Amino acid sequence: MEPPPPRSPQGQPSTTIPTSGETTFVPTSWPDLANPPQNRPIGGPANNRQAIILAPVPKSEKVPTITPPFHFVTPTKKITSPDDIRKFHDSQTCKNFLGFIVALSESIRGHKISDPCHESPTVTKLVSIIQYLLLWVDQIPPLQQSSRYGNISYRTWHERLTENVESLMLQFLPDDLKSSTVEIIPYFTESFGNSSRIDFGTGHETNFAAWLYCLARMGIIKEEDYPAVVGRVFVKYMDLMRKLQLVYCLEPAGTHGVWGLDDHHFLPFIFGSSQLIDHKHMKPKSIHNDDILENFWSEYMYVSCIKFIKMAKKGPFAEHSPLLNDISGVPNWNKVNSGLLKMYKAEVLEKVPIMQHFLFGWLIKWE
């Protein structure tokens, strides 16, 4: 859908690590940059740039599907310390979950959103469920309030989600997997932001990926569905999240000012960069061409994200989004994609402030 009208810019360069919330990005230059900016803040988050550069690129993994007997449980939080993060990092669970995200990324490689793909009845149902949630936003208008951010009508929307989520899940679950609602509902409800803080960030987005991973674990989503999972389901999710962010003015969760990749999202940059690998005409530097943004935002997620940011924020792009500006100097989309995958692992899945809220059950095990 066409991005809504702009909103104001978010904050100034961050030099501290948030104690709660979402992504904290390392304020350093991107690997392989042609002309990295010289002025970087001092005293920011610990510089693990070299570790990210030297880390291997995550590889795709086949999702291990479950077999009876099923032991669905209410998922709980397990991560409270760096030691827990290291344990998760070394686990097969982390490898499989990240491998699933890589597999989704690879499935959309070189494909436009409008390209035909296999769309199973399940995928169609998942898209329709998110469409329901979009319609609810129209039915629950924002209230007039003095605070610019955090419109309390979002709590009404989220409450309706909580009240209806079980019936939504039962629309696509086969009889023998209906008991999985106890496990998959928490991931789904956490995918759209926090109703108390009225915010949204990369941890919530990771919950949506976790919900999809759970469906893959149960065999509800199959490998042949992956292109549609990204190009139909995730794209519709992005439509919803942008509408929620703008209608209810959701705060960025744990905002890190201009030194983050984006105020709210990470995964569409991964999927979007994969779409553009080996594109004949569009290069990473093409994001600075307004004609390209206008003509291709509906076909490529990365382009859509850049267009949305430029509409939402005022001032020179290099000032309000320096990390994305850095990335535009990378020579090709393959390097952008591999770099983003490594950064997602390091800056989302290995960060206590984000992963302390992540849930583990039987489908996503704490090993």
Side-chain angles (χ1 to χ4, degrees):
M1 72 180 188
E2 180 68 37
R7 54 192 171 90
S8 64
Q10 302 288 339
Q12 299 298 318
S14 175
T15 58
T16 59
I17 300 177
T19 56
S20 64
E22 305 303 325
T23 308
T24 308
F25 282 95
V26 182
T28 54
S29 16
W30 187 268
D32 301 308
L33 285 179
N35 297 294
Q38 298 301 312
N39 299 319
R40 296 295 187 184
I42 298 172
N47 185 350
N48 65 344
R49 174 176 64 97
Q50 193 66 19
I52 294 175
I53 293 172
L54 296 176
V57 179
K59 303 297 183 184
S60 65
E61 298 277 341
K62 287 188 177 295
V63 174
T65 53
I66 59 171
T67 56
F70 304 134
H71 303 286
F72 302 117
V73 297
T74 302
T76 58
K77 298 176 183 179
K78 298 290 186 181
I79 294 175
T80 61
S81 69
D83 284 341
D84 293 332
I85 284 289
R86 283 188 284 271
K87 179 179 178 180
F88 175 62
H89 167 268
D90 294 334
S91 69
Q92 191 63 40
T93 293
C94 182
K95 182 180 179 182
N96 288 339
F97 177 61
L98 184 56
F100 171 66
I101 290 173
V102 178
L104 290 179
S105 175
E106 290 180 353
S107 76
I108 201 76
R109 178 171 176 163
H111 292 292
K112 301 191 300 291
I113 289 171
S114 65
D115 284 349
C117 62
H118 168 71
E119 295 183 52
S120 68
T122 298
V123 164
T124 301
K125 178 56 68 175
L126 299 183
V127 172
S128 71
I129 286 171
I130 300 173
Q131 183 62 37
Y132 291 152
L133 307 187
L134 268 163
L135 293 174
W136 292 353
V137 181
D138 296 330
Q139 297 166 6
I140 305 171
L143 295 176
Q144 294 295 321
Q145 60 184 46
S146 57
S147 174
R148 177 175 176 82
Y149 292 102
N151 194 284
I152 59 175
S153 286
Y154 170 73
R155 291 176 178 157
T156 304
W157 181 91
H158 203 280
E159 183 179 3
R160 184 183 292 188
L161 168 66
T162 303
E163 291 171 350
N164 291 276
V165 65
E166 183 171 14
S167 63
L168 293 175
M169 298 299 102
L170 292 176
Q171 289 184 23
F172 62 83
L173 289 171
D175 289 342
D176 62 332
L177 292 172
K178 290 189 184 302
S179 59
S180 70
T181 53
V182 67
E183 191 152 343
I184 66 173
I185 282 175
Y187 293 112
F188 190 75
T189 54
E190 285 294 315
S191 298
F192 307 99
N194 182 279
S195 59
S196 298
R197 299 188 301 268
I198 314 183
D199 65 5
F200 174 85
T202 52
H204 301 113
E205 181 187 72
T206 297
N207 271 281
F208 190 74
W211 176 68
L212 293 172
Y213 177 72
C214 288
L215 301 190
R217 288 269 283 143
M218 293 189 288
I220 293 171
I221 289 174
K222 299 176 171 58
E223 281 190 45
E224 58 263 33
D225 296 320
Y226 286 6
V229 167
V230 179
R232 304 294 183 266
V233 179
F234 192 84
V235 166
K236 182 62 70 172
Y237 169 69
M238 287 299 299
D239 287 347
L240 172 59
M241 289 321 308
R242 285 175 179 160
K243 191 164 187 175
L244 288 173
Q245 288 159 29
L246 292 171
V247 171
Y248 300 129
C249 300
L250 301 187
E251 292 271 16
T255 181
H256 37 270
V258 301
W259 292 110
L261 185 70
D262 179 74
D263 282 338
H264 299 96
H265 294 287
F266 202 123
L267 291 177
F269 292 93
I270 292 176
F271 300 150
S273 59
S274 181
Q275 283 185 282
L276 289 162
I277 289 175
D278 297 329
H279 195 284
K280 291 182 179 179
H281 309 294
M282 244 184 291
K283 307 299 180 187
K285 65 182 180 182
S286 298
I287 66 164
H288 302 296
N289 185 320
D290 289 340
D291 286 339
I292 285 179
L293 298 184
E294 187 62 37
N295 290 319
F296 295 100
W297 71 266
S298 63
E299 291 285 19
Y300 298 100
M301 277 176 275
Y302 198 101
V303 178
S304 176
C305 288
I306 298 298
K307 178 177 170 63
F308 186 80
I309 290 168
K310 286 190 173 183
M311 291 184 67
K313 295 188 175 186
K314 298 176 182 178
F317 186 74
E319 292 183 8
H320 62 64
S321 301
L323 185 54
L324 286 169
N325 189 64
D326 288 1
I327 293 171
S328 72
V330 176
N332 60 67
W333 289 109
N334 195 58
K335 287 184 178 294
V336 172
N337 183 252
S338 61
L340 286 171
L341 284 168
K342 290 193 285 186
M343 285 195 72
Y344 182 74
K345 181 175 183 287
E347 298 298 333
V348 177
L349 299 185
E350 295 179 9
K351 283 292 183 284
V352 173
I354 298 172
M355 296 305 290
Q356 66 183 349
H357 303 292
F358 196 71
L359 302 171
F360 295 87
W362 184 62
L363 293 168
I364 302 179
K365 289 186 168 86
W366 176 249
E367 299 176 325

